[in-house]
Amino acid sequence: MTMNVFLSYAYKDEPWRDELAAYLSNLRWQGIISDWHERNIGLGREWSREIDPDLDTAQIILLLVSPDFVHSEYCYSLEMKHALQKHAARQARVIPIMLRPIIDWEDTPFTGLPTLPTYGTPVTTWPDRQEALLNVVKGIEAAAREPGADAFPSLTAATDTTLAHPGTPLWNVPYPHGPFFTGCEHILRYLHDMPVINKAMASTQPQVISGLDGSGKTQIAVEYAYRYRDEYTAVLWVNAASREILTSDFASIANLLDLPEKDQPNQNIAAKAAGQWLQTATGWLLIFDNVSAMNMVHDFLPSGARGHILMLSHTPVPRTFALNVGIQKMDPPDQALLLLRRAGIIPPDAPLAAAAAANRLKAGEIAAALHGLPLALELAGAYISEAQCGLASYLNLYKLEKVTALKQQAQPMPDYLEAVASALALSFKIVERTNPAAAELLRLCAFLHPDAIPGDIFTGGACKLGSILQPVVTDWFELQKMMRELRRYSLVQRHLNHSTLTLHRLLQAALRDRMDSEIQRQWARRTVQAVEQALPCAGSATWQRLQSYFPHMQICTALIEQWNMDFPEAARLLEQTGDYLQGHVQYEQAEPLLQRALTIREKLLGSDHPDLATSLNNLALFYEKQGKYAQAEAFFQRTLALREKALGPDHADVPAILNNLAVIYRDQGKHTRAEMFFQRALAMRKKLLGPDHPGVATVLNNLAMLYRMQGKYAQAETLFQRALEIRQRTLGVNHPDVAQSCNALAGLYRAQRKYEQAEPLYQQALAIDEQVPGPVRPDLATTLNNLALLYQTLGKYALAEPFYWRALAIYEQLLGPEHPYVASCLSNLALFYNDQGLYNQVEPLYQRALAICEKVLGSDHPQVAISLNNLATFYTAQGKYTKARPLFERALAIAERTLGPYHSDLAQLLENYATLLQKVKETSKAVGMKARANAIRTRYIQENPRSQGTFLQYR
C-alpha cells in the first residue's frame, strides 16, 4: 500500500527539507510513499484557522523539529491537534524528525512520540550527516511498510535528547539538564575530586550538599550528574523525604536494574534487593534528595560499597557521618549572569561580558533585590523572557509587588522568602490572566506532595477539579499546552519518563499563603477528592502504581485531619491508605487512618447503617491479623449484627462473618462459643451452597482445627478428611486449597505421633505448592516449615535444616525480614538447634524473633508473649536465671492482658515460670504458680467437657 505523506517544517529549515526530499524520492519511486504535501509554517497563517485537506488524508505526518519549529505557534495549532488525534486513533503516524537539539523538548505536544533518527539523536550531532538522513529514511520506510499506528520497529521515543544515545549509564535522574547553570564550579570540582581522584571506584564517606531551600542544591546535583555521567556505570536518584518514599524509590531501582525481586508486591523486598546490588556493584553514583532524617537514610546506605554517594540536605551533618559541602550565597556577578541567561538576553553559555553594560547593571540591581536566591532569579528570568518586559520594567513591577505583599503579610518572613513570594506573585498573575486553567493546576499542586506528582491525578481526578480545570485536563492537547505555559515561567518541572510534575516546596508554601482560609479549604477538599478518584481500583492495581501515589495519599490524610473533612471520598482515601500500610506490615501507622475512616462513615450514615458493615469487617480483620482478638471480636460482632438486621439472619453474607467470629473465639480459647458459631456457619453454608461446596470445606477445616486444639482428634480427623475430599473433587487435586488441607491433616497426625501418615501428606502439599503457577507463595514456606518440624521430631536433622532455611528465605523474600511469619520460622530454627545442643546458635535466633514481634505486632501481642517465653525457657535451661525472670514476668503480664486470666495457654506459661522459681529456691511461689495453672486447666475441662484436656505447649 502506498502511503500519503504530509511534511511540516519551519521556514528557516527549508534547506533541510530539500535535502530530506532527495532521500525520500527513492521511497516514492519504489511506490512506498506517494508524492508528499507540505506545510511551511513560516508562510502565511492559514494553519491557525483551518486544517489542510492533505493532512487529513495523510497516513504519515513528518515534523522537522528544530528550535524554530518548536517555538512557533504551530505546535499548538488546530492542525497539530488534529494530527495528533489521528495518531492516537491509529489513523496516521506522526513522526518527529529531530534536526537540531531542543532545549525545551518537553514543552512540545509531540513529546514521547517515537522519534527519528534512532534514539532521538539530532541530525546535526551525528558525525556523518548522510548517515543520519539515511537512518531517518529507513525509519520512515519501516513505518510505511508495517500496518498499525503502534508499530515502530526502528523508532525510539526520546524524552531527553541529551541522554538518548547508546553507551550511557543506567539512569533515573528525574530532572532535565538545565541550560542555565551558573556558578558553583568550585563545588562541582570538590565533589568530583575530593577526597579521592576516582569517586566511582572508591569506598568513601557520603558527601552532603547543604543549604537553604531555593539555594540551588538540586541544580548542583543535577549538573554534576549530567557532567560526569560517563564516569559511572549507573546514576541513580532517590527521594529521602520519608521512609516510605525512599523505600519506594529503592524498589524502583530494582525495576530499573531488572532484578528478580522487582515484581514482588512488598516493596521492601525490592528495595532490599536494590541495596544488595549497590553493595556488590561498583562505579555507581547514588543521589539522596530531600534528606532530613539522617538516621533513616543510614538504614539505606550500602555498607562498604564502592560507589559515590551525594546527599542534599537543608542542614549539615556530623563529619563522622559525611563530608559537608555548604552552599554559600552566589557572587553578585554570577547572580547577574544567571538572570541574564535565563531571561534570554545573552545565550546560555555566554559570559557576563557579552551583555551590554546597562543590562549588567540593571541585572545586578534585580539580583540584589531578590537577595541572590537562585530560585527567585530563575522565576524573574523566566518572566522577563516570556513577558518580554525588559529588565527595568521587571524591577519596577517587582518593587510594586513587594510593597503590596508587605501590606498583606500577617507576620514578617525572612528576606529570601519574601523574594520568592513576590517573584512568584508576578508570574502567577500573568499565568492566571493568560491561562486560568494553568493557575488552577498550580493551586492543586500546592496541596499535593511537591515531588513526582503523577499526571494521572489530573486526568483520573478531573471530575473533582472544577469547571475551569476539568475540561483542560481531559483534553490531552490542551493539557500539554497548559504544561508548556507553566514550564516556560519556571513554575513546575516536568519529568516525562515518569509522567510526573515537581513543584518547588517554597513555591507551594507561597501559593498557599496567597489563599484565604476558605479557598485553602476548597482546594484541600478538591485535592483529596481528586487523589481518591484517581487511585487504581482495588484488585487491579499493582504495588508499583500505588507506590507512586503513596506520598500524595499521605499528604491527603494530613489534609483530612487538618481540615476535619468528613465526606465519603475522605473515608475511602483513609481506608485505601490504611490498607496500603498494613500490606507493608505498618500496623501502627494504619490503625488511626482506618479508625478515622470509620468515624467519618458513622457520622455520615449513623452507627447502625448497613453500609458500615464492610468497614467494620475490614477493621476486625485488621485487628485479627495483629492478634488483637478483643478488638477484632467487637468489630466482628457489630458486623454480624448489622448484616443480620439489614439482610436477615439467613442471608448468604452471614456465614462468612460467623466463620470469622468463630476463628476469633477459637484463638482466644473460647472454644464453646467458637464451636457454636462454626456449627451455625456450617449449617448455613450447606443449606445455601450445598454440602460439597468449597465454602463448606473452609468451615470444616476451621472447625477441625478447633477440635485438634481441644484434643478431639477423632472428630478433627473426620472433618479434615471431609474438607480435603470436597476440595479435591471440586477444585482439582493440584489446587492450593488442597495443599492447605493436606497440611492441616498432616499436622493433626504429627500431633498424634502418627508420623508415617503425616509425612506423605506433607510431601503431597509440598508437591502442589511447588507447582502452583506464578510467583512463589507464602504457603510453600509454611509447608516447608511444617515438614521440617516433622523431620526434626523424627531426628532427621540433615533433612530438616535445609527446609527451615528455605522456608525462612521465602518468607523474607515475599514478606520482608520483619514479618511475624519470619519470627515464627526463626523460633522453630532456634528450637531445632537447641534440640541438637548447638546453644550458641539458639539465643540470637530467639532474640531476633522477639525483636520482630515487638516491632511489628506491638509490645502487647500474644505472639510477643510466646517469644518471651521461648527465650526465658532457654535461659532457664542454661542456668541464666537473672535473664529469664523478667522475660517470664513480661510474658505473663501480656498473656493475662490479651488472653484473659483463664486462657488455656496461660497455664503452660505459669508452669514454665514455676520451673524457674523452683530453680532459684522460691518454692512457695512456684507452688502457687502451679496451683493457678491447674485451676485454669480444671476450669477449661469443666467448660469443655468433651475435650481431652490437651493444651498448647510452649517450648
Side-chain angles (χ1 to χ4, degrees):
M1 174 182 176
T2 301
M3 308 291 277
N4 294 326
V5 175
F6 190 88
L7 180 65
S8 292
Y9 59 95
Y11 174 72
K12 290 184 178 180
D13 294 320
E14 191 164 359
W16 283 104
R17 173 264 173 213
D18 295 339
E19 195 166 353
L20 178 62
Y23 283 84
L24 290 176
S25 297
N26 187 47
L27 297 184
R28 181 178 58 190
W29 293 335
Q30 297 179 56
I32 297 173
I33 64 172
S34 64
D35 286 338
W36 53 85
H37 303 275
E38 302 178 0
R39 169 70 81 189
N40 184 329
I41 64 174
L43 301 176
R45 288 182 53 84
E46 295 83 1
W47 45 264
S48 65
R49 299 184 299 271
E50 61 185 27
I51 297 172
D52 191 313
D54 292 321
L55 180 141
D56 206 36
T57 60
Q59 288 97 22
I60 294 179
I61 301 168
L62 304 177
L63 311 177
L64 301 192
V65 180
S66 68
D68 296 295
F69 188 89
V70 166
H71 294 154
S72 72
E73 294 182 25
Y74 182 79
C75 283
Y76 287 94
S77 67
L78 179 65
E79 191 164 277
M80 178 63 72
K81 182 176 182 178
H82 184 66
L84 293 173
Q85 287 172 341
K86 284 171 61 69
H87 180 93
R90 301 189 179 187
Q91 297 168 357
R93 301 180 182 186
V94 176
I95 306 176
I97 299 172
M98 196 73 66
L99 296 180
R100 291 180 276 154
I102 308 297
I103 291 176
D104 44 4
W105 170 251
E106 298 179 31
D107 288 334
T108 68
F110 37 82
T111 296
L113 292 182
T115 306
L116 290 172
T118 305
Y119 302 108
T121 306
V123 173
T124 55
T125 64
W126 284 57
D128 188 327
R129 177 184 295 188
Q130 290 185 343
E131 184 180 348
L133 290 173
L134 284 172
N135 182 278
V136 169
V137 173
K138 288 179 180 178
I140 295 171
E141 180 180 1
R145 289 184 181 278
E146 298 196 17
D150 57 344
F152 288 92
S154 300
L155 308 187
T156 304
T159 57
D160 186 342
T161 58
T162 62
L163 271 183
H165 61 78
T168 55
L170 288 167
W171 180 274
N172 75 339
V173 175
Y175 300 99
H177 193 184
F180 306 111
F181 183 81
T182 302
C184 302
E185 291 293 332
H186 64 290
I187 294 179
L188 292 175
R189 287 193 298 271
Y190 177 84
L191 294 174
H192 181 258
D193 299 335
M194 295 293 291
V196 292
I197 299 300
N198 188 351
K199 278 287 189 188
M201 297 303 293
S203 177
T204 61
Q205 281 184 299
Q207 294 171 312
V208 177
I209 306 172
S210 60
L212 295 173
D213 286 338
S215 61
K217 300 185 296 292
T218 300
Q219 286 71 22
I220 291 173
V222 169
E223 179 64 25
Y224 182 90
Y226 279 91
R227 186 175 296 190
Y228 298 112
R229 65 187 177 188
D230 291 337
E231 297 184 14
Y232 298 96
T233 58
V235 179
L236 306 171
W237 190 288
V238 292
N239 189 341
S242 71
R243 178 176 291 275
E244 293 82 7
I245 296 171
L246 187 54
T247 300
S248 175
D249 280 4
F250 263 76
S252 297
I253 289 176
N255 188 64
L256 178 68
L257 297 171
D258 199 27
L259 300 178
E261 297 84 356
K262 66 178 182 179
D263 295 322
Q264 290 296 339
N266 189 336
Q267 63 182 0
N268 293 302
I269 300 166
K272 182 180 178 182
Q276 291 171 339
W277 182 89
L278 290 167
Q279 287 181 356
T280 57
T282 61
W284 44 259
L285 170 64
L286 177 62
I287 302 170
F288 287 82
D289 197 4
N290 296 316
V291 173
S292 56
M294 204 59 65
N295 291 339
M296 179 264 290
V297 171
H298 188 271
D299 295 340
F300 290 83
L301 293 179
S303 59
R306 290 177 294 168
H308 183 186
I309 297 174
L310 290 180
M311 297 184 186
L312 312 182
S313 175
H314 192 271
T315 57
V317 300
R319 288 187 59 84
T320 55
F321 181 79
L323 300 173
N324 287 292
V325 183
I327 298 180
Q328 304 301 320
K329 191 174 182 179
M330 294 176 69
D331 294 332
D334 284 338
Q335 298 172 16
L337 180 58
L338 173 58
L339 178 64
L340 291 166
R341 286 175 172 177
R342 182 62 187 89
I345 295 173
I346 60 176
D349 57 351
L352 184 60
N359 284 338
R360 294 200 301 269
L361 180 63
K362 193 60 66 175
E365 291 180 43
I366 295 174
L370 296 172
H371 302 284
L373 193 72
L375 176 60
L377 293 169
E378 175 84 11
L379 289 171
Y383 184 100
I384 294 166
S385 174
E386 293 304 312
Q388 296 292 303
C389 69
L391 295 170
S393 295
Y394 182 85
L395 184 58
N396 291 332
L397 288 170
Y398 174 79
K399 288 178 178 178
L400 289 172
E401 183 60 42
K402 187 173 181 180
V403 170
T404 303
L406 287 173
K407 291 179 180 178
Q408 297 174 347
Q409 276 181 19
Q411 56 187 7
M413 64 173 64
D415 291 342
Y416 76 95
L417 291 182
E418 284 183 1
V420 171
S422 299
L424 170 66
L426 287 175
S427 299
F428 186 81
K429 285 178 180 178
I430 195 169
V431 167
E432 188 172 34
R433 186 170 62 250
T434 59
N435 194 327
E440 294 280 273
L441 186 71
L442 277 179
R443 293 187 178 102
L444 173 68
C445 291
F447 288 88
L448 291 164
H449 192 280
D451 299 310
I453 301 171
D456 287 345
I457 290 179
F458 313 140
T459 54
C463 62
K464 305 294 184 179
L465 298 181
S467 59
I468 296 176
L469 188 53
Q470 178 182 351
V472 175
V473 296
T474 52
D475 185 322
W476 184 88
F477 191 82
E478 293 301 319
L479 177 60
Q480 306 312 308
K481 188 175 181 180
M482 179 173 63
M483 295 297 184
R484 178 199 193 198
E485 187 85 1
L486 294 175
R487 285 197 72 254
R488 289 196 168 186
Y489 281 93
S490 291
L491 294 170
V492 299
Q493 289 186 312
R494 194 177 184 193
H495 315 146
L496 288 171
N497 289 338
H498 308 287
S499 300
T500 61
L501 291 182
T502 289
L503 180 65
H504 198 284
R505 284 164 170 75
L506 290 186
L507 298 185
Q508 278 191 314
L511 284 165
R512 290 194 297 267
D513 287 344
R514 290 178 57 83
M515 308 177 200
D516 61 33
S517 178
E518 195 53 41
I519 297 298
Q520 285 190 25
R521 177 183 294 276
Q522 178 190 59
W523 278 102
R525 180 186 179 99
R526 284 183 178 178
T527 300
V528 171
Q529 291 176 322
V531 172
E532 188 281 326
Q533 183 74 20
L535 286 177
C537 297
S540 63
T542 63
W543 282 113
Q544 193 167 3
R545 284 196 66 195
L546 282 176
Q547 287 170 24
S548 67
Y549 279 92
F550 183 68
H552 310 284
M553 295 161 68
Q554 278 189 307
I555 291 290
C556 286
T557 62
L559 292 175
I560 292 168
E561 185 68 25
Q562 177 186 352
W563 296 99
N564 195 28
M565 298 179 184
D566 56 5
F567 45 86
E569 295 93 337
R572 287 196 294 270
L573 188 140
L574 288 166
E575 288 170 341
Q576 289 170 297
T577 308
D579 289 343
Y580 180 90
L581 287 166
Q582 69 167 310
H584 291 84
V585 204
Q586 297 177 32
Y587 300 123
E588 186 176 350
Q589 295 91 332
E591 183 174 10
L593 304 183
L594 297 174
Q595 287 282 9
R596 172 71 172 147
L598 178 62
T599 300
I600 293 173
R601 292 195 183 280
E602 288 178 326
K603 181 177 180 180
L604 294 174
L605 303 172
S607 58
D608 294 329
H609 197 283
D611 289 351
L612 280 178
T614 300
S615 296
L616 292 167
N617 190 70
N618 290 341
L619 261 171
L621 293 171
F622 170 75
Y623 284 118
E624 180 189 16
K625 188 183 295 185
Q626 299 173 78
K628 297 180 178 180
Y629 302 128
Q631 293 99 314
E633 179 183 348
F635 283 111
F636 275 136
Q637 286 175 337
R638 283 190 64 188
T639 304
L640 180 61
L642 286 179
R643 288 292 193 216
E644 288 185 321
K645 180 179 178 181
L647 305 174
D650 298 325
H651 191 273
D653 288 352
V654 171
I657 306 170
L658 290 169
N659 176 77
N660 291 341
L661 194 49
V663 170
I664 290 295
Y665 288 138
R666 182 191 68 192
D667 292 344
Q668 293 181 92
K670 301 176 181 179
H671 293 167
T672 300
R673 289 185 64 80
E675 183 175 8
M676 179 178 68
F677 277 77
F678 276 136
Q679 291 288 6
R680 185 181 164 197
L682 183 62
M684 290 186 68
R685 282 203 165 164
K686 285 182 177 179
K687 181 179 178 180
L688 292 167
L689 305 175
D692 295 330
H693 193 275
V696 172
T698 298
V699 182
L700 287 169
N701 211 65
N702 288 336
L703 179 56
M705 189 65 68
L706 170 66
Y707 289 151
R708 176 191 164 183
M709 293 172 67
Q710 294 177 294
K712 301 174 183 178
Y713 296 139
Q715 291 169 268
E717 182 175 8
T718 300
L719 298 185
F720 276 138
Q721 288 176 336
R722 174 68 178 144
L724 176 60
E725 185 269 330
I726 291 173
R727 286 171 166 173
Q728 286 178 323
R729 180 155 36 84
T730 59
L731 302 175
V733 295
N734 293 319
H735 193 275
D737 287 357
V738 172
Q740 183 193 60
S741 283
C742 290
N743 234 323
L745 185 55
L748 174 67
Y749 289 144
R750 182 169 60 84
Q752 296 175 275
R753 300 184 180 181
K754 298 179 179 179
Y755 304 130
E756 292 183 357
Q757 292 172 264
E759 184 174 5
L761 285 168
Y762 278 138
Q763 293 284 7
Q764 183 180 348
L766 180 61
I768 295 171
D769 288 333
E770 294 270 27
Q771 295 174 11
V772 172
V776 174
R777 299 161 62 248
D779 286 353
L780 173 58
T782 301
T783 302
L784 290 164
N785 176 80
N786 292 344
L787 190 53
L789 279 170
L790 174 65
Y791 287 144
Q792 178 183 340
T793 304
L794 295 173
K796 299 180 180 180
Y797 299 125
L799 292 176
E801 186 172 20
F803 281 143
Y804 274 135
W805 283 109
R806 188 179 170 206
L808 180 62
I810 292 173
Y811 280 142
E812 289 182 322
Q813 181 187 21
L814 297 182
L815 307 175
E818 294 181 337
H819 194 279
Y821 287 3
V822 172
S824 295
C825 198
L826 289 166
S827 294
N828 290 339
L829 262 171
L831 183 60
F832 170 78
Y833 288 123
N834 186 74
D835 286 353
Q836 298 177 80
L838 301 173
Y839 302 123
N840 62 323
Q841 298 187 54
V842 175
E843 184 176 5
L845 292 170
Y846 274 143
Q847 287 175 332
R848 185 184 164 199
L850 174 60
I852 291 171
C853 291
E854 288 179 319
K855 181 176 180 179
V856 174
L857 302 175
S859 59
D860 274 348
H861 194 281
Q863 190 64 38
V864 173
I866 294 175
S867 293
L868 288 165
N869 171 82
N870 291 341
L871 187 54
T873 302
F874 171 72
Y875 285 148
T876 301
Q878 295 291 303
K880 299 177 181 179
Y881 306 133
T882 304
K883 286 187 173 182
R885 185 167 194 149
L887 300 181
F888 272 132
E889 290 172 350
R890 271 193 67 196
L892 284 170
I894 293 170
E896 288 177 328
R897 279 196 300 269
T898 58
L899 301 176
Y902 302 108
H903 194 282
S904 58
D905 292 350
L906 184 60
Q908 187 64 48
L909 265 173
L910 290 165
E911 288 193 350
N912 291 348
Y913 188 30
T915 300
L916 169 66
L917 293 172
Q918 286 178 324
K919 298 280 188 183
V920 297
K921 309 302 182 184
E922 297 184 26
T923 306
S924 61
K925 194 170 183 178
V927 170
M929 291 290 174
K930 284 192 174 183
R932 188 179 165 196
N934 289 333
I936 293 173
R937 294 183 189 278
T938 300
R939 175 171 173 159
Y940 176 82
I941 293 173
Q942 288 174 348
E943 293 179 352
N944 299 273
R946 291 183 292 171
S947 170
Q948 296 179 20
T950 60
F951 299 85
L952 179 65
Q953 299 295 307
Y954 287 18
R955 292 187 60 188

